[in-house]
Amino acid sequence: IAKDEGGRCFRFFQPMMTSKMTRRIQLDQELRQAMTDCAQLMLFYQPKVDLRDGRICGVEALLRWKHPQQGMISPAEFIPIAEDSGLIVELGDWVMVRALEQLAQWQQQGMAVDVAINVSVKQLLRSNISERIQTLAQQLGVASQHVQLEITENNIMDNMSRIMPQLQSLTQQGFTLAIDDFGTGHSSLSRLRDLPMKVLKIDKSFVANALRDQKDVQLVEAIIEIGHILNRTIIAEGIETAEQMALLQQLGCEEGQGYLFARPMAAEQLEPLLRQGTIDIRHEAMA
Ligand code: C2E
Ligand code: MG
Ligand code: MG
Ligand code: MG
């Protein structure tokens, strides 16, 4: 708008800001309501594949919101809003309950799979998540060994000392911790070494750029090497092409996730794949 008005943006800046804020406030309220309406919020699951043999080693739970008037709203929009307002603490608890219930159901049906849940740092700061998740897992009869918790790199580093006790307690209980979107934040190597995170998830921006730019290949290679020196498991996210897969295999990356293998999908849709247990990742099958 400001551009169309030939630079007289002072008149339009204010209303634009306001409408953005109004949308945020409104979405936050509607999201709060959505938590009591089973038809609006649901979890999708995306497989994680062992890049050595195609075995499905786990699934990541990803929240989906179907707004009654506006249709699907991306978590990339509503999660930051929920984080700002603090609603993420309740919302994250809802996700944890649903994901663990689903895991319990799959296990009862004989499908061996691990579930990864995205956790916001606000949940670690404002709730006793380690106690809560242990109670839930016990009630539902799922072993902590089958549950991963993903936390984004930036959030961890900004709050490291405050969240450390919770991270350590979660690890002691047998939950696996992962650093999400790794490479986009500002970890120092010493902090990385001290964190009890067994898994590093390389951010999809590196995977996307790796075949366009030789520097990015080297960066991914370095990330994998550092991860291995520190005895971490590496997962690459956002693998979309067979070429990206081949490169990551060659660099020794253990696991991968991306549209090439499977999109995030509803639990029932995923079940045939889970029963099968593997995805055919031979280069010919994917190309
Ligand atoms: P994330 O945890 O890094 O999840 C990976 C995102 O990449 C997901 O986006 C997934 O759908 C997408 N993705 C998977 N494969 C590909 C691919 O091959 N190409 C591309 N371009 N994208 C791919 P989604 O589902 O939109 O979620 C976005 C972010 O929202 C997540 O990033 C996570 O940070 C957050 N989020 C989603 N669900 C939850 C939740 O239950 N709790 C919390 N705290 N955050 C969540
Ligand atoms: Mg994640
Ligand atoms: Mg990620
Ligand atoms: Mg991400």
Side-chain angles (χ1 to χ4, degrees):
I1 295 172
K3 243 187 199 155
D4 293 345
E5 292 300 313
R8 285 182 295 135
C9 50
F10 58 93
R11 287 179 57 194
F12 299 92
F13 190 64
Q14 195 67 36
M16 248 167 64
M17 285 298 286
T18 310
S19 80
K20 205 173 164 189
M21 275 165 60
T22 309
R23 177 168 165 86
R24 287 176 73 91
I25 292 164
Q26 195 175 354
L27 284 183
D28 188 65
Q29 282 168 355
E30 288 168 342
L31 189 54
R32 202 174 286 274
Q33 288 157 13
M35 281 172 55
T36 60
D37 174 358
C38 316
Q40 284 189 52
L41 282 184
M42 67 179 301
L43 291 180
F44 269 21
Y45 297 88
Q46 185 180 35
K48 294 183 184 178
V49 174
D50 189 318
L51 291 178
R52 291 160 293 198
D53 55 13
R55 190 177 58 89
I56 297 174
C57 29
V59 296
E60 177 178 5
L62 293 159
L63 193 53
R64 293 291 176 264
W65 181 16
K66 193 172 176 212
H67 188 282
Q69 284 87 43
Q70 300 177 38
M72 298 303 288
I73 298 179
S74 166
E77 179 173 15
F78 70 77
I79 292 287
I81 294 175
E83 281 177 335
D84 279 356
S85 75
L87 181 62
I88 193 69
V89 178
E90 290 159 65
L91 188 60
D93 192 74
W94 185 97
V95 170
M96 232 155 49
V97 172
R98 296 305 143 107
L100 292 180
E101 282 174 353
Q102 185 61 65
L103 174 61
Q105 195 183 317
W106 279 330
Q107 286 183 346
Q108 279 154 22
Q109 294 169 351
M111 286 172 267
V113 72
D114 292 356
V115 169
I117 302 169
N118 289 288
V119 169
S120 159
V121 160
K122 278 246 167 105
Q123 288 174 265
L124 293 164
L125 292 172
R126 295 205 187 160
S127 67
N128 191 341
I129 194 171
S130 61
E131 200 178 286
R132 171 71 173 151
I133 194 166
Q134 192 174 30
T135 307
L136 281 173
Q138 265 164 11
Q139 279 171 357
L140 292 163
V142 296
S144 55
Q145 281 70 21
H146 296 296
V147 182
Q148 274 191 19
L149 301 175
E150 301 186 359
I151 309 164
T152 57
E153 183 184 19
N154 262 332
N155 282 326
I156 299 169
M157 297 305 158
D158 294 339
N159 300 280
M160 183 143 152
S161 56
R162 286 192 293 167
I163 62 174
M164 204 54 152
Q166 290 245 46
L167 298 182
Q168 268 154 355
S169 142
L170 286 163
T171 309
Q172 273 154 20
Q173 290 162 30
F175 295 98
T176 305
L177 302 181
I179 303 185
D180 207 342
D181 302 340
F182 186 70
T184 60
H186 43 266
S187 310
S188 71
L189 291 176
S190 63
R191 283 165 136 197
L192 186 61
R193 180 198 56 205
D194 294 342
L195 277 168
M197 323 296 271
K198 187 75 193 84
V199 178
L200 302 182
K201 293 191 79 175
I202 302 179
D203 190 66
K204 55 178 176 283
S205 60
F206 292 102
V207 176
N209 291 331
L211 288 160
R212 289 203 283 267
D213 184 345
Q214 183 57 30
K215 281 235 166 58
D216 276 293
V217 178
Q218 289 171 335
L219 221 50
V220 171
E221 191 172 7
I223 292 173
I224 294 171
E225 272 173 25
I226 289 166
H228 285 164
I229 291 170
L230 296 173
N231 205 16
R232 307 301 202 265
T233 301
I234 319 288
I235 307 185
E237 57 176 33
I239 301 180
E240 294 183 356
T241 69
E243 287 69 30
Q244 290 167 345
M245 175 184 71
L247 176 67
L248 288 154
Q249 285 170 322
Q250 193 192 318
L251 297 177
C253 181
E254 284 90 3
E255 296 177 20
Q257 204 180 343
Y259 298 161
L260 177 68
F261 309 114
R263 294 201 166 240
M265 56 187 120
E268 316 81 70
Q269 261 185 297
L270 186 65
E271 281 162 15
L273 263 181
L274 290 182
R275 286 185 198 286
Q276 199 175 296
T278 57
I279 290 175
D280 187 355
I281 61 163
R282 283 169 306 140
H283 199 271
E284 318 84 80
M286 306 256 74

